[in-house]
Amino acid sequence: MQVRLKNRKQQIVDLALELLQTRGFENFSYQDLARQLGITKASIHHHFPKKEDLGVALCQAIQDWHEREFSKSRAFAGSALEKLDRYVRGTLRYGGCEKKICPLSSLQADIASLPEAMRPALKRLDDHELEFVAELLQQGRDNGELSFPGDVRAQAVLVVLTCKAALQYSRVHGSEMFDEAMAQMKQLMVASQ
Amino acid sequence: MQVRLKNRKQQIVDLALELLQTRGFENFSYQDLARQLGITKASIHHHFPKKEDLGVALCQAIQDWHEREFSKSRAFAGSALEKLDRYVRGTLRYGGCEKKICPLSSLQADIASLPEAMRPALKRLDDHELEFVAELLQQGRDNGELSFPGDVRAQAVLVVLTCKAALQYSRVHGSEMFDEAMAQMKQLMVASQ
DNA sequence: GTCTATAGCTAGATAGAC
DNA sequence: GTCTATCTAGCTATAGAC
């Protein structure tokens, strides 16, 4: 029935997103999805004929997540530092635990093997995120909460890059490394110049 | 003959390292290696019976590279900033071009699927690299070239993380993003406090 | 050291019954 | 929408000839 179709599709996307963050796009299979959902591979193929189709749906799901989170942040009546904290502890992680990295980092790592259709989507998602963080930093610098030299965009690149890599490292070295990196980053942006 | 054995083994490791940096450990096969070297899969298995054995050899090769590069840097009579530049443009890249990321980042991304034997090796390699960069930053702060708040180790984490992520991003967004991130990072370390 | 041949498995994907 | 059955292709790995 139509109702279950949507639910099932959503279940598949949710699980695939989790496997993307823990194992990478090329390192989970329709078999993995089928087993964990209690259905067969053929059923997954019914919803997403090719894995590439699933990949595109994953990008769309991330896009939706971004849009929800970014507009929540814009509506949130807090300081730039608080918003940045919410980004670091929430948005960036996509409901993540210690074993999950950012789904965009995961896709970047597999870029050479990724289906062609996913690459422009990935680039757009990265750009969208950078734009959002740049907006945050701009606000913070304007009202004096943050201080850093140079271009806002360049600093946004630095912040986003650090967050992503910190998630990747913390999977190998423990979450203290994530906290250490975030604390140092913050110190640089309130102490500099 | 013994002489060719060593050469062949080295050829395999060199090529595997390149594929590790471009595609990831789980995304190249003995078939890929065999094809590009003009031999058969069975021959690769002669040198590295299991893929895990090849993986361990890759870690060892990276370790050797680190040791060579780090001691060259220590012997180099330049400023801390110059040494940092050499790290960013040379050591970090492992002979890399625009399509290659750091081999350690690549292994981190695949951590969940990696053979058990490679994980402690990966952690040790990361730590070794962090130690080296911390040493550089310490020297730079001591002689007044660099200035940054907080712990040297924490700043080293920040620098290394940024470099690694910048390589990953630049594969998707072009090398200008790498340059932009490095420039901003440097600005923060000479301008702050 | 390199080869042919092959085992055993898993991947993505499709056809067709229900 | 989900199933069984099946296909093709790729993977890691091994045995044994040369």
Side-chain angles (χ1 to χ4, degrees), chain B:
Chain B
M1 13 179 163
Q2 279 302 101
V3 177
R4 298 248 359 189
L5 167 65
K6 260 200 165 165
N7 288 347
R8 185 61 91 186
K9 242 183 149 156
Q10 193 58 50
Q11 282 175 28
I12 295 169
V13 167
D14 287 346
L15 179 56
L17 202 43
E18 191 177 321
L19 292 178
L20 173 68
Q21 290 179 261
T22 49
R23 310 183 53 86
F25 189 73
E26 303 290 341
N27 286 303
F28 73 84
S29 66
Y30 274 32
Q31 190 65 254
D32 296 324
L33 294 169
R35 220 178 344 240
Q36 292 190 51
L37 290 173
I39 55 179
T40 62
K41 287 193 291 179
S43 298
I44 318 264
H45 277 287
H46 169 75
H47 296 283
F48 303 100
K50 304 193 180 290
K51 202 181 179 188
E52 172 173 345
D53 301 322
L54 175 57
V56 170
L58 288 179
C59 291
Q60 186 58 54
I62 297 168
Q63 168 89 19
D64 294 346
W65 165 264
H66 270 171
E67 272 160 19
R68 277 199 309 278
E69 287 290 310
F70 294 171
S71 68
K72 266 198 283 181
S73 173
R74 284 168 186 130
F76 174 68
S79 68
L81 264 172
E82 280 171 324
K83 286 182 178 184
L84 200 60
D85 250 22
R86 287 167 65 97
Y87 167 76
V88 166
R89 291 200 324 258
T91 306
L92 174 73
R93 290 171 175 270
Y94 302 83
C97 63
E98 228 181 273
K99 295 278 164 252
K100 288 190 197 169
I101 63 171
C102 163
L104 297 181
S105 302
S106 175
L107 292 173
Q108 281 183 352
D110 273 355
I111 187 75
S113 324
L114 236 46
E116 204 59 56
M118 297 175 65
R119 295 183 207 195
L122 174 57
K123 192 170 182 332
R124 255 183 289 117
L125 283 164
D126 280 339
D127 287 336
H128 191 214
E129 183 176 34
L130 275 170
E131 218 173 276
F132 166 73
V133 172
E135 184 187 310
L136 268 189
L137 297 185
Q138 182 72 60
Q139 181 195 332
R141 186 149 79 169
D142 286 349
N143 68 24
E145 286 177 73
L146 301 176
S147 113
F148 48 85
D151 190 40
V152 172
R153 163 81 186 195
Q155 183 69 19
V157 168
L158 210 63
V159 168
V160 170
L161 259 51
T162 306
C163 292
K164 307 275 182 141
L167 278 183
Q168 246 179 270
Y169 260 79
S170 68
R171 203 157 56 160
V172 178
H173 298 262
S175 61
E176 319 79 45
M177 186 166 270
F178 182 82
D179 300 332
E180 185 179 14
M182 292 304 108
Q184 184 70 10
M185 166 67 70
K186 200 182 285 184
Q187 225 178 356
L188 277 174
M189 284 198 296
V190 296
S192 87
Q193 290 223 328

Side-chain angles (χ1 to χ4, degrees), chain A residues 12 18 34 37 39 53 65 76 98 109 120 135 155 159 161 165 184-185:
Chain A
I12 295 169
E18 191 177 320
L37 290 174
I39 54 178
D53 300 322
W65 165 263
F76 174 68
E98 229 182 271
E135 183 186 311
Q155 183 68 19
V159 169
L161 260 49
Q184 184 69 11
M185 166 65 72

Side-chain angles (χ1 to χ4, degrees), chain A residues 76-86 136 139-140 143 145:
Chain A
F76 174 68
S79 67
L81 263 172
E82 281 171 322
K83 286 183 178 184
L84 201 58
D85 251 22
R86 287 167 67 96
L136 269 190
Q139 182 195 332
N143 67 24
E145 287 177 73

Side-chain angles (χ1 to χ4, degrees), chain A residues 24-35:
Chain A
F25 189 73
E26 302 292 340
N27 286 303
F28 73 83
S29 65
Y30 274 32
Q31 190 65 255
D32 296 325
L33 294 169
R35 219 177 345 240

Side-chain angles (χ1 to χ4, degrees), chain A residues 153-181:
Chain A
R153 162 81 187 195
Q155 183 68 19
V157 169
L158 211 62
V159 169
V160 171
L161 260 49
T162 306
C163 292
K164 307 275 181 138
L167 279 183
Q168 247 179 270
Y169 260 80
S170 67
R171 203 159 55 162
V172 177
H173 298 262
S175 61
E176 319 80 44
M177 187 166 270
F178 182 82
D179 300 331
E180 186 180 12

Side-chain angles (χ1 to χ4, degrees), chain A residues 56-68:
Chain A
V56 170
L58 289 179
C59 292
Q60 186 57 54
I62 297 168
Q63 169 89 18
D64 294 346
W65 165 263
H66 269 172
E67 273 162 18
R68 278 198 309 278

